């Protein structure tokens, strides 16, 4: 049983790290153009916080090596992403992003570590950090709910890319199974919810994959108040690379969800 949990943990590491690597294409574009264009820094900043918290949880938890390795890798990658974003962002965006990094990734995370190590003792340390990690991961897993609502209203999966939903389903399922084997309630609850939501998205694909939209995107936006729509939350921009249309998908989740939460951007070719 122990060896099977290790195998699942390794598989989870591979899946999650592949998801963490998904913004590489985006940042190649940013470096090449020396501009962040319309990309947002918030997803990378919040994912850095999430992976940092899960890394700290992995350090505190006995036998938490596989949790530490995957989120440590995610944190290192997101330090690189955030640094590149700050280098190439316009001055006003750079200032706002720096403030957010200082508050969220340095201030909040520093306070959590300090309070945990200095004021908490025994199992309470793991409980507090585990609850924080679980809450953030559930929020990231739940972020596609607005997109699912749009899919149901439009009766079309045009704006809910299959691979994003599939990897959320796969990632949540693997880590939820791992959590059951190692008896980790914090990993289990957050990834169990992610697995259920991923399953629901795949079910929507089965129902609506061959149907034409019953409503236009603009009609759905009007019904939702005319502001930023769920569609805009999924599609940050369209990228044309070598004359092949690419969809940049926000993957708002960390290693256990997330995507994602903070949005990772996963380029998925439409002709796949």
């Amino acid at each position: 049983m122990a060896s099977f949990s290790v195998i699942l943990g390794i598989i989870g590491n591979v899946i999650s790290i592949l998801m963490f690597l998904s913004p590489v294409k985006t940042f190649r574009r940013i470096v090449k153009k020396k501009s962040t264009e319309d990309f947002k820094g918030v997803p990378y900043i919040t994912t850095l916080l999430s992976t940092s918290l899960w890394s700290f949880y992995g350090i505190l938890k006995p036998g938490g090596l596989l949790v530490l390795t995957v989120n440590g890798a995610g944190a290192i990658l997101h330090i690189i992403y955030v640094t590149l974003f700050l280098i190439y962002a316009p001055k006003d965006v750079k200032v706002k992003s720096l403030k957010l990094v200082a508050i969220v990734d340095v201030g909040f995370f520093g306070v959590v570590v300090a309070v945990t190590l200095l004021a908490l003792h025994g199992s309470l340390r793991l409980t507090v950090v585990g609850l924080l990690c679980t809450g953030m991961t559930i929020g990231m897993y739940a972020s596609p709910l607005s997109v699912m609502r749009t899919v149901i209203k439009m009766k079309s999966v045009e704006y809910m890319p299959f691979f994003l939903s599939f990897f959320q389903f796969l990632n949540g399922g693997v880590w939820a199974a791992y959590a059951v084997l190692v008896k980790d309630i914090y990993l289990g609850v957050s990834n169990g919810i992610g697995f259920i939501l991923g399953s629901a998205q795949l079910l929507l694909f089965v129902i609506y994959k061959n149907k034409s939209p019953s409503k236009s995107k603009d009609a759905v936006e009007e019904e939702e108040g005319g502001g930023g729509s769920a569609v805009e939350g999924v599609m940050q921009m369209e990228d044309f690379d070598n004359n092949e249309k690419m969809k940049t998908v926000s993957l708002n989740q960390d290693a256990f969800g997330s995507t994602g939460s903070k949005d990772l951007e996963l380029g998925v070719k439409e002709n796949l």
Side-chain angles (χ1 to χ4, degrees):
M1 188 66 71
S3 60
F4 185 54
S5 67
V6 171
I7 292 172
L8 275 180
I10 292 173
I11 293 172
N13 268 249
V14 172
I15 295 171
S16 298
I17 289 174
L18 286 174
M19 294 169 71
F20 284 139
L21 287 170
S22 62
V24 167
K25 178 179 173 61
T26 296
F27 280 93
R28 281 179 180 168
R29 175 190 177 113
I30 287 174
V31 172
K32 184 177 180 180
K33 292 183 174 290
K34 300 185 184 303
S35 170
T36 56
E37 300 178 298
D38 293 329
F39 291 106
K40 309 300 180 185
V42 174
Y44 309 105
I45 294 171
T46 53
T47 302
L48 175 57
L49 172 62
S50 179
T51 51
S52 299
L53 285 172
W54 276 114
S55 296
F56 186 44
Y57 176 84
I59 293 172
L60 295 175
K61 178 180 171 61
L65 178 62
L66 290 172
V67 177
L68 173 60
T69 53
V70 65
N71 285 284
I76 291 171
L77 286 170
H78 278 80
I79 289 173
I80 296 172
Y81 298 152
V82 170
T83 301
L84 289 173
F85 185 87
L86 292 175
I87 290 173
Y88 293 107
K91 185 175 180 180
D92 56 335
V93 176
K94 184 179 301 186
V95 171
K96 291 179 181 178
S97 298
L98 277 170
K99 289 180 180 178
L100 187 59
V101 169
I103 294 171
V104 173
D105 296 325
V106 179
F108 180 76
F109 180 66
V111 168
V112 170
V113 172
V115 170
T116 301
L117 297 180
L118 299 177
L120 305 178
H121 303 282
S123 62
L124 186 58
R125 288 179 173 179
L126 199 63
T127 299
V128 171
V129 177
L131 288 173
L132 284 173
C133 292
T134 300
M136 176 162 280
T137 301
I138 289 175
M140 290 180 168
Y141 265 135
S143 61
L145 287 175
S146 60
V147 181
M148 293 170 67
R149 182 179 62 182
T150 302
V151 168
I152 294 172
K153 285 185 176 181
M154 295 179 64
K155 300 187 185 305
S156 169
V157 294
E158 180 180 358
Y159 296 104
M160 190 172 71
F162 172 79
F163 288 101
L164 173 60
S165 302
F166 176 73
F167 276 102
Q168 176 169 325
F169 164 81
L170 192 61
N171 197 55
V174 169
W175 283 112
Y178 172 82
V180 171
L181 292 177
V182 300
K183 297 179 174 60
D184 190 318
I185 188 172
Y186 307 112
L187 286 179
V189 170
S190 56
N191 287 285
I193 291 174
F195 176 73
I196 292 171
L197 290 175
S199 300
Q201 291 177 52
L202 292 180
L203 180 61
L204 289 179
F205 268 99
V206 173
I207 296 172
Y208 296 117
K209 66 177 180 178
N210 295 321
K211 295 187 178 181
S212 299
S214 61
K215 296 181 181 180
S216 67
K217 171 188 164 185
D218 292 337
V220 172
E221 286 182 2
E222 288 180 7
E223 289 182 6
E224 294 181 353
S229 69
V231 170
E232 291 170 345
V234 180
M235 302 284 294
Q236 283 199 354
M237 67 181 296
E238 289 181 339
D239 174 36
F240 291 84
D241 182 24
N242 297 326
N243 297 321
E244 290 185 291
K245 189 177 179 183
M246 308 286 290
K247 284 186 177 179
T248 300
V249 181
S250 68
L251 185 60
N252 192 1
Q253 56 192 30
D254 61 359
F256 304 112
S258 179
T259 91
S261 59
K262 56 178 122 102
D263 293 344
L264 294 177
E265 284 148 353
L266 174 63
V268 180
K269 292 185 179 180
E270 286 190 331
N271 61 355
L272 286 180

